Amino acid sequence: MFRPMFALSALGAFAALPPAPPAAAQTAPAPAAPAPIEADWHDIPDSEILVITLSGGRQVFVRLAPRYAPGHVANIRRLAAEGWWDGTAIYRAQDNYVAQWGDPTDAKPLPPLVIENPPAEYEWPQYDGVAGMSRPDPYAPRTGFSADGWPLGTDGKASWLTHCYGMVGVARDNPPSTGSGAALYAVIGHAPRHLDRNIALVGRVIQGIDLLSTLPRGREALGLYSTAAEQTPILSVRLASQLPEDERPRFQYRATDNPRFAAFIAARENRAEAFFVRPAGGADICNVDPGVRRLR
């Protein structure tokens, strides 16, 4: 499927499942959620922003998640520091699934210190969610958000990032491969949650997802392009921290550990807009995006 393609990680100590909120019983719409206040917005560090420059100067910005995939993110930072992706390409665009980039030949040597198969980082024993959905979903008994806006699933024994639209993962081959991070993909279709806990998620596209989701679809198996001419060249990939100070993009995430975001979840689960005849009384975690904003 993915090239490199998919393993399950061993778990450490188990964490107790936090008490879930009561199941939603509302049938009436929730009141409109208040807008976030200025104190809800926090800077994303330059070292956590990956700047991907495509042909024509178009740019895709990825927020990295080093807390959840430290080994893979360390590899990604080394690859960016070495300019490894310069001259590579987006070589796969599969309809309703993913766009994938890296070395189309799969033959380019990795830089020194990049670990070819880091420890699997598909799940971890802690759950640091602070704002939760009111209903379970088919893939997790409980879902919620970390204080800094990452979507999470948990079963009480482990927790994991969820494959929502725009999330970025590490392509790998069959186990024991875990993927180095040299080949990455972004979700451009309906959330493929069946991939949760089977692959390392390392971040999310925070701007420029339209440049990936509107790519012509590959006609070969798995959405691979059949010729180099169909691929989208990558001019460079850098961390924002590698750029001159005045060229660094500045993004902020919306914090979720406040009553305004809790009200936002309730409003998404019980839509109050006049269009909705019957509120659903729940929502998929991938339908509740805290969002980011760009200041520069």
Side-chain angles (χ1 to χ4, degrees), residues 13-294:
F14 288 158
L17 178 64
Q26 298 129 295
T27 56
I37 62 175
E38 196 60 29
D40 294 341
W41 295 101
H42 301 273
D43 290 341
I44 299 175
D46 293 339
S47 62
E48 294 182 9
I49 298 174
L50 201 62
V51 182
I52 304 171
T53 303
L54 307 177
S55 57
R58 301 165 297 165
Q59 291 186 314
V60 176
F61 300 88
V62 174
R63 179 190 180 191
L64 297 174
R67 186 165 76 253
Y68 299 114
H72 286 89
V73 169
N75 270 358
I76 289 168
R77 286 170 166 162
R78 292 183 186 114
L79 289 160
E82 295 288 336
W84 188 88
W85 280 291
D86 300 7
T88 60
I90 301 172
Y91 56 81
R92 176 189 180 196
Q94 186 170 358
D95 190 49
N96 197 31
Y97 208 34
V98 301
Q100 188 166 312
W101 62 93
D103 172 27
T105 69
D106 205 25
K108 188 174 183 178
L110 295 175
L113 304 182
V114 171
I115 301 171
E116 185 170 358
N117 287 295
E121 295 175 314
Y122 312 149
E123 54 190 3
W124 57 95
Q126 295 81 27
Y127 176 72
D128 61 356
V130 298
M133 309 301 294
S134 65
R135 289 182 175 178
D137 69 22
Y139 299 96
R142 187 178 178 194
T143 54
F145 293 89
S146 66
D148 53 349
W150 292 107
L152 304 169
T154 184
D155 62 1
K157 300 175 182 178
S159 57
W160 54 88
L161 290 172
T162 58
H163 271 80
C164 296
Y165 183 75
M167 292 294 283
V168 174
V170 175
R172 69 170 177 84
D173 211 330
N174 288 330
S177 170
T178 61
S180 67
L184 298 172
Y185 65 88
V187 176
I188 60 169
H190 182 74
R193 294 284 306 284
H194 57 283
L195 299 182
D196 293 357
R197 296 193 285 178
N198 286 290
I199 203 161
L201 284 170
V202 292
R204 191 170 197 170
V205 176
I206 54 175
Q207 188 172 315
I209 188 63
D210 56 307
L211 300 177
L212 303 177
S213 63
T214 58
L215 288 169
R217 300 317 193 226
R219 295 180 180 273
E220 299 296 323
L222 306 179
L224 293 169
Y225 293 121
S226 55
T227 67
E230 298 172 273
Q231 299 168 1
T232 299
I234 293 176
L235 302 184
S236 69
V237 178
R238 298 288 185 274
L239 292 166
S241 55
Q242 293 177 255
L243 304 177
E245 182 69 36
D246 60 353
E247 296 180 15
R248 297 178 184 180
R250 186 182 174 204
F251 288 92
Q252 293 183 321
Y253 68 84
R254 179 183 177 181
T256 69
D257 55 350
N258 57 75
R260 290 165 297 281
F261 189 76
F264 176 64
I265 291 178
R268 295 294 291 178
E269 293 184 326
N270 300 276
R271 303 297 291 266
E273 299 92 328
F275 176 86
F276 290 91
V277 176
R278 183 185 294 273
D284 187 304
I285 186 154
C286 294
N287 294 128
V288 184
D289 181 7
V292 299
R293 68 179 185 180
R294 185 172 181 177

